[in-house]
Amino acid sequence: MDQQNSGRKRIAVIPGDGIGQEVIPQAVKVIQASGANVALTDFDWGADHYLRDGVTVPTGGFAMLARDFDAILVGAFGDPRVKTNIHAKEILLGMRFKMDLYANVRPVRLLDAALCPLKDVEPKDIDFVVLRENTEGVYTDGGGVFKQGTPDEIAIQEDINTRKGVERIIRYAFEYCRSHSKLDGSPRSNVLMCDKSNAMTHAGGLWQRVFKEVSGEYSQITAQHMYVDALCMQMIRDPRQFDVIVTNNMFGDIITDLAAGLQGGLGMAASGNIHPGKTSMFEPVHGSAPPIAGKNLANPFGAILTAAMMLRHLGSAREADKIEAAVLEAVRLKKTTQDIGGPLGTREAGEWVVEKVRR
Ligand code: NAD
Ligand code: IPM
Ligand code: MN
């Protein structure tokens, strides 16, 4: 390996569908402007590719990503022309499941009070993270439909929870709490497990037992429990109380859209799909937003903050800091898209951050 390539991180870029194709190019420009030592390779996996030749993931695609790349940056999948959503399932859930990216890390941070729909809430009040189990639960899509189309039709949707799967995400949550501080520098100190064990007793029982056992190993961290319905109410009543939340795949999906609402909407929320030591995947929380796609309306900041999260994961903390600071300034100066109150388009908001990061 020559001098120039040493330490260079290889990133696969998959913009996907809809606004993914608009926000990811902005995130890519920002990465390049940050000076991070990366080599980017584009992949056109998504609805167009699928409709053209029937391929969602080329043969050996996941093995190639794991072998040839240090990280993957993804936009979104979902296209009204693909009614079955099969490509999203095979590409997005395929990466999560087949690459075993078991921790879906979704930070929830309020950059500016003006972005939060709640009154009297300051940025310092919202700085928590949701750790969503990412390889099991109802997302395994086990089950079936019987006697379809008859009055006796039966639909079964299985909820798969393994001891190994539950334990590793709960352990990840305690390790995350121990090793990450809040934005103001204060240490994290609480892990809250969220379930519905009062109604879903079999899966909930396993989560309860494992949580009790693992929390016992972390005497410096307080362990707390909330049912998911109560948690939703608390999240909009008083989000200050949350620190690290760990939950299953389904509840994690739902509560992170709710949490995105606290941050200024889906356009602001970042996420990582992580397996420590393996090639991990980073994507904004939002989807392909078909109604606004192709109109230069989509907020690129969720994708840009996702890029910063990816760079931090790859060891480029200085570049990540620069990007996050530039987005923060853009928000404060209202150099943003319309969804969060600014006058700019997707490209213009991205370009503003690029210029700030380059300086
Ligand atoms: P969505 O996140 O695409 O959109 C929900 C709402 O938020 C819409 O009003 C949309 O306009 C708005 N929004 C989302 N991102 C925005 C942005 N960056 N800037 C401004 N506004 C933004 O969710 P949906 O409408 O439920 O789903 C649309 C499609 O996306 C579906 O096919 C769904 O399955 C898919 N989806 C994919 C992912 C993913 O690939 N990670 C995530 C969620 C949904
Ligand atoms: C997300 C999305 C996906 C999920 C969909 C597109 C399958 O909503 O990343 O939050 O439910 O995980
Ligand atoms: Mn979701």
Side-chain angles (χ1 to χ4, degrees):
M1 194 181 281
D2 62 34
Q3 197 66 30
Q4 211 186 9
N5 283 337
S6 71
R8 176 170 294 176
K9 301 294 184 188
R10 303 153 304 167
I11 298 170
V13 180
I14 315 179
D17 307 331
I19 63 167
Q21 295 183 10
E22 296 169 87
V23 298
I24 291 301
Q26 302 311 315
V28 163
K29 282 195 299 186
V30 171
I31 292 171
Q32 286 164 336
S34 78
N37 187 13
V38 296
L40 302 156
T41 308
D42 285 331
F43 292 90
D44 67 351
W45 303 0
D48 285 337
H49 188 292
Y50 172 67
L51 290 167
R52 200 169 57 237
D53 54 22
V55 174
T56 55
V57 179
T59 310
F62 297 128
M64 175 274 296
L65 289 174
R67 185 185 61 233
D68 298 342
F69 293 93
D70 298 299
I72 310 159
L73 179 64
V74 161
F77 301 96
D79 187 302
R81 296 169 300 168
V82 186
K83 298 275 179 259
T84 58
N85 211 26
I86 180 71
H87 71 300
K89 188 173 175 192
E90 293 189 357
I91 303 169
L92 183 73
L93 300 184
M95 278 187 276
R96 291 179 185 169
F97 282 49
K98 298 209 168 123
M99 300 177 78
D100 202 27
L101 306 177
Y102 69 87
N104 192 338
V105 180
R106 297 189 156 183
V108 183
R109 290 171 183 160
L110 178 63
L111 297 187
D112 193 276
L115 298 190
C116 188
L118 306 182
K119 62 178 187 306
D120 302 330
V121 173
E122 306 279 330
K124 66 171 173 36
D125 296 328
I126 301 185
D127 180 5
F128 64 91
V129 61
V130 178
L131 302 172
R132 165 186 180 192
E133 202 297 316
N134 214 24
T135 57
E136 305 192 339
V138 291
Y139 278 70
T140 47
D141 209 18
V145 178
F146 309 98
K147 303 184 184 176
Q148 191 169 356
T150 75
D152 298 322
E153 183 163 349
I154 300 168
I156 297 175
Q157 194 78 46
E158 305 272 16
D159 183 6
I160 308 292
N161 295 263
T162 69
R163 165 81 206 195
K164 177 182 159 191
V166 173
E167 184 172 337
R168 66 182 178 174
I169 190 65
I170 288 177
R171 201 169 282 288
Y172 190 95
F174 281 94
E175 286 298 321
Y176 187 100
C177 187
R178 189 163 69 170
S179 58
H180 288 73
S181 42
K182 295 194 174 185
L183 281 180
D184 66 7
S186 63
R188 294 201 177 275
S189 60
N190 178 271
V191 176
L192 183 156
M193 192 272 278
C194 154
D195 66 16
K196 189 65 190 169
S197 53
N198 48 355
M200 300 159 83
T201 57
H202 309 301
L206 176 62
W207 279 78
Q208 292 280 346
R209 288 192 307 276
V210 175
F211 187 64
K212 186 152 186 261
E213 196 178 303
V214 174
S215 64
E217 296 172 29
Y218 294 85
S219 55
Q220 304 302 311
I221 298 173
T222 56
Q224 195 187 344
H225 170 262
M226 240 181 237
Y227 297 123
V228 64
D229 47 353
L231 178 133
C232 288
M233 187 277 289
Q234 290 295 342
M235 205 179 265
I236 58 155
R237 200 190 62 81
D238 182 18
R240 293 170 188 86
Q241 64 189 289
F242 296 111
D243 191 350
V244 176
I245 297 173
V246 61
T247 190
N248 72 17
N249 211 338
M250 176 90 273
F251 299 148
D253 178 49
I254 297 167
I255 68 173
T256 53
D257 265 32
L258 182 63
L262 298 174
Q263 296 169 269
L266 279 161
M268 294 302 294
S271 87
N273 299 259
I274 294 169
H275 185 131
K278 291 193 182 186
T279 300
S280 294
M281 184 266 280
F282 296 80
E283 49 164 349
V285 175
H286 66 71
S288 54
I292 63 165
K295 297 179 178 162
N296 200 36
L297 287 172
N299 184 345
F301 290 176
I304 292 171
L305 292 169
T306 296
M309 191 178 175
M310 177 182 72
L311 292 179
R312 194 177 298 287
H313 176 84
L314 293 173
S316 297
R318 205 171 53 88
E319 289 79 3
D321 286 345
K322 259 202 302 192
I323 294 171
E324 286 172 357
V327 171
L328 179 62
E329 193 169 350
V331 167
R332 285 190 180 143
L333 298 175
K334 289 219 179 321
K335 303 293 181 188
T336 73
T337 46
Q338 292 167 25
D339 55 306
I340 54 167
L344 303 183
T346 308
R347 283 188 296 276
E348 293 71 24
E351 201 50 45
W352 196 91
V353 174
V354 164
E355 288 308 318
K356 198 76 210 167
V357 164
R358 209 193 309 274
R359 257 176 266 140

